[in-house]
Amino acid sequence: MSGFKQTFLIVFAFVLFVFGVWGYFNNPIEEPPWPDKIPGFAFSPYQEGESPFTQTFPSRESVAKDIKLLSETTYAIRSYTVAGVFGEIPSIAREYKINVALGAWLDARKDVNQVELDNLVKLVKANPFSVVRVIVGNESLLREDLTVEEMIVHLKDVRSKITVPISTAEPWHVWIKHPELAEHVDFIAVHMLPYWEGIKMEDSIDYIVDKMNALKAAFPGKPIVIGEVGWPSSGRSIKEASASKASEAIFLRRFIERANQEGYVYYLMEAFDQPWKTNLEGAVGGYWGVYDVNRQPKFEFHESIIAVPEWRLLAAASVLVAVFLVLILMIDSSTLDNRGRGFLIGSAFVASSLIVWIIYDYSIHYQNWVSALVGILLLLGVVGVLVVILAEAHEWAEALWYKSRRRALTHSNVPDQALPFVSIHVPAYNEPADMMIETLDALALLDYPNFEVLVIDNNTKDPAVWEPVQAHCLTLGERFKFFHVSPLAGYKAGALNFALKETDARAEAIAVIDSDYMVESCWLRRLAVQLVDPDIAIVQAPQDYRDHQENAFKAMCYAEYKGFFHIGMVTRNERNAIIQHGTMTIVRRSVLEEVGGWGETTITEDADLGLKIFEHGYQAAYIEQSFGKGLMPDTFIDYKKQRYRWAYGAMQILREHAKALLHWNSTKLEPGQRYHFVAGWLPWIADGFNFIFTLMAIVWSVLMIISPIEFNAPQIIFSLIPIFFFGFKVAKMLILYMGQVRTSFRTALAAAIAGLALSHAIAMAVLSGLFIGRQMPFVRTPKKADTIALTQAVMDARAETFMGFLLFTLMWVIIWRVGLDSFETVLWICVMVVQMIPYFASLILSLISSVPQLPASLIGVKPNESACNSPVLDTDVVKTAVVETVVEKEEVQNLKV
């Protein structure tokens, strides 16, 4: 079966799956029908944009319009205040033959309370036929605005002036707690809102009946009126109670049927959504209406209830977005097997469904300009995260599930006289003399016929450091030349450009070795042969290290390094897009000079040079075998500084080559090269923006602590995304390390911890490199550094430690202040845990680096085998990224991959 047919069948299967999932969660639910009229509605006539907090009130005309609408569906309404336009509710209700339970708002302002009560009495007397009940205060005792004694005084005063039945409105437990209150009312006005008590919606009706029976038993003979009963259509969850349109519809339709059976008098909470109440009750406060703020029904009154009535449209939108993503992901995917294609297609469908759901969920909420702006930023952030995930998924698929590799090495037998003359450049600054001597001795043992070695010591001040190296070069013969240059600008790039000027005229290629590297004797012979292909300008082998068995810290670093060289570089090489990394590299001299030499405007001159060479249309060969080993950083601070330099330099390159990478400048870069150079650095960029997210999370957490009602935990979807991203990132690392690098789970986990420990350093480098942009001085990575103390280890990770403990402290304060009743809050706590893990990983790794006695065997990492110990590859090619050169096409097709 052709690749297109296989892809089509996989896509079709996912289409059916998506529609099936949407349909499963939106099965019609049969519930009791809504009656033509109900006993009453709680009524607040605020329109969209109106609020008592901004002193913007509805007009008499809009209040009249609302009451006219409600008169068609109910016998009565309940109001909450008699101030201003709300005092006209009884007269308007009389016009539409609708009864009123007139409410007076009482709070801690005693002078205002008396004015409110005086107006209440006047309105009752002026509207003797429309006002059938009076409710003095609404949850005043629950809010602790008034004491029981103060409320009794108010009840006695009003009761002495009117003949209409009077009460005050409180939840059921307040009445049970203060039975003396019932002696001063004509009926019990009780609020039954099981959502606020965390009762599961399916159990809520029986819960109300149980509490009503308790009130009847506590106050025999006293009429009971349910002043508020309802369920919100959106907002945070509380214990087992969750808010949704379907839950609201099911609750109300079940309650109305049961209330009719029980003979309850009730007022549904409430007629219309009131967005202004989010300031009082959090996000959920605005969604208690049977009608939305535009006075449209929020759910079906008679037909079956469907959770998301628009689900077919949303499913179709998810499929369309997914197909678009699949078309992008499947570009140049001919080497993937069905598992790889299925994984990418599945990732596209998950991403599309998330995007569509987030947009839909956001669209059904009320927004002000602040929440709209925050929502747009969050949506952009989510889209960015999904783009990174898809890029990571693409690498995941290409690393594990491929049918073949597409590029092959040249392994033809080339006589010595045909091999290019190679000039090996060894830049050094303030490096230990004994280490340098080991590096030079290894170069002296190369089994290559035509080479020279130029050692360039730039700006080392102490002659005792560089003079022994100079003297040793004299003992190694005329091939070895030593240069001590001070001052010399341009850091490492400046030293390499100086060496280029001093290079032997016969040299056709320039090789670069870091000062700590001990190369294998076959290094040049195995790599330089690739240059017989005139299109190849770079030959690169992985960096490798020889001191990984010294202790656990170095073993962890070694494990982490391996991922780039045996996963990232392999997949990048498939499209001729490897990162050139300084050491173990060979560059065609003519091309190096053509592109202007080593760039001195970035601190990662090697990667910059590689990209410039690709922009000129040349090829690179990557040989996934070890031909030399150097030394790793000895401490966490040096490990961190090294990665900071790499990430900062990468951002410099992105800035300088943005036009070429985005195709604004005419270069010879292929689309696949552009993709890998941008996508390859996306995870680092994500770390940078994740730091901004962390700062925002800290601010939001502080606001939750200060005002837990107004500032709820973010919506579930916005918490799930960072949790999912973190899980995906760690899972990918573990699976690829075990599958592609062939490590144990223990080693893969150690590599993951080491990688996470660098997140903060990378974030700072990315943000500085992208937005500050000032030139960062080149910082060498010290080798053979002294062991540090535990206290110094903590100081080396002080920024990460501070951030970790700040998040940890905020997490526990939220648990103490807000509690874990809301599922959204639980998820937010999980987000904070996810955010703090990289910071504590930094502290842990720094502490491990301060204890060199910890054995490397704890990590269990295995070294790379020396390429010189393996037979010369002929027509069999190991699973490695290589370059197709002058080998005939028939020979290439016969290569085994």
Side-chain angles (χ1 to χ4, degrees), residues 747-881:
T747 304
L749 182 61
I753 293 172
L756 291 172
L758 296 169
S759 298
H760 182 72
I762 292 171
M764 296 299 96
V766 166
L767 295 176
S768 298
L770 283 180
F771 301 115
I772 297 176
R774 57 183 176 83
Q775 180 66 36
M776 172 191 169
F778 184 92
V779 179
R780 62 178 284 269
T781 303
K783 305 299 191 302
K784 298 186 176 182
D786 295 332
T787 302
I788 60 173
L790 285 173
T791 53
Q792 185 59 47
V794 175
M795 289 301 296
D796 288 348
R798 56 186 177 275
E800 295 90 337
T801 301
F802 171 78
M803 291 293 293
F805 277 102
L806 176 59
L807 288 166
F808 182 80
T809 301
L810 289 173
M811 178 189 73
W812 281 107
V813 175
I814 288 175
I815 293 174
W816 166 74
R817 180 85 166 84
V818 180
L820 299 176
D821 289 346
S822 167
F823 181 63
E824 288 84 350
T825 304
V826 173
L827 274 183
W828 186 246
I829 294 298
C830 293
V831 170
M832 298 185 76
V833 170
V834 162
Q835 294 301 109
M836 71 178 71
I837 286 175
Y839 294 115
F840 284 126
S842 300
L843 176 60
I844 291 170
L845 191 62
S846 189
L847 291 173
I848 291 174
S849 76
S850 70
V851 188
Q853 299 83 2
L854 288 176
S857 58
L858 293 174
I859 309 305
V861 65
K862 296 180 180 179
N864 292 323
E865 294 183 2
S866 170
C868 294
N869 295 330
S870 61
V872 176
L873 298 180
D874 190 24
T875 56
D876 290 330
V877 180
V878 297
K879 191 171 67 176
T880 181

Side-chain angles (χ1 to χ4, degrees), residues 407-427:
R407 310 182 74 215
L409 285 169
T410 293
H411 291 302
S412 55
N413 294 321
V414 178
D416 286 356
Q417 60 270 25
L419 290 171
F421 187 101
V422 180
S423 182
I424 303 171
H425 297 172
V426 186

Side-chain angles (χ1 to χ4, degrees), residues 233-285:
S233 62
S234 183
R236 67 187 186 278
S237 62
I238 300 177
K239 297 180 182 177
E240 295 186 274
S242 58
S244 69
K245 283 186 179 181
S247 296
E248 181 184 28
I250 294 170
F251 171 86
L252 290 176
R253 286 172 64 168
R254 289 180 182 178
F255 170 78
I256 290 172
E257 181 185 53
R258 187 67 177 272
N260 290 339
Q261 295 171 0
E262 300 288 342
Y264 295 156
V265 177
Y266 59 87
Y267 296 87
L268 292 187
M269 177 67 187
E270 61 189 315
F272 308 114
D273 278 350
Q274 300 291 294
W276 66 270
K277 287 186 180 179
T278 56
N279 293 328
L280 290 175
E281 302 172 356
V284 72

Side-chain angles (χ1 to χ4, degrees), residues 79 90 152 190 231 333 387 401 539-540 653 789 852:
S79 66
I152 289 174
V190 63
W231 199 274
S333 62
V387 168
W401 298 306
V539 186
Q540 182 74 64
I653 293 171

Side-chain angles (χ1 to χ4, degrees), residues 46-97:
Y46 287 97
Q47 303 281 337
E48 188 171 13
E50 297 173 346
S51 167
F53 298 108
T54 59
Q55 296 294 298
T56 52
F57 300 102
S59 65
R60 190 184 193 282
E61 291 73 20
S62 68
V63 174
K65 189 175 180 180
D66 284 346
I67 293 177
K68 179 182 179 182
L69 172 64
L70 294 179
S71 68
E72 300 172 0
T73 59
T74 187
Y75 297 106
I77 57 175
R78 177 202 165 180
S79 66
Y80 289 85
T81 180
V82 293
V85 70
F86 305 101
E88 301 189 45
I89 288 176
S91 61
I92 297 172
R94 185 172 65 247
E95 296 176 20
Y96 293 101
K97 297 180 176 57

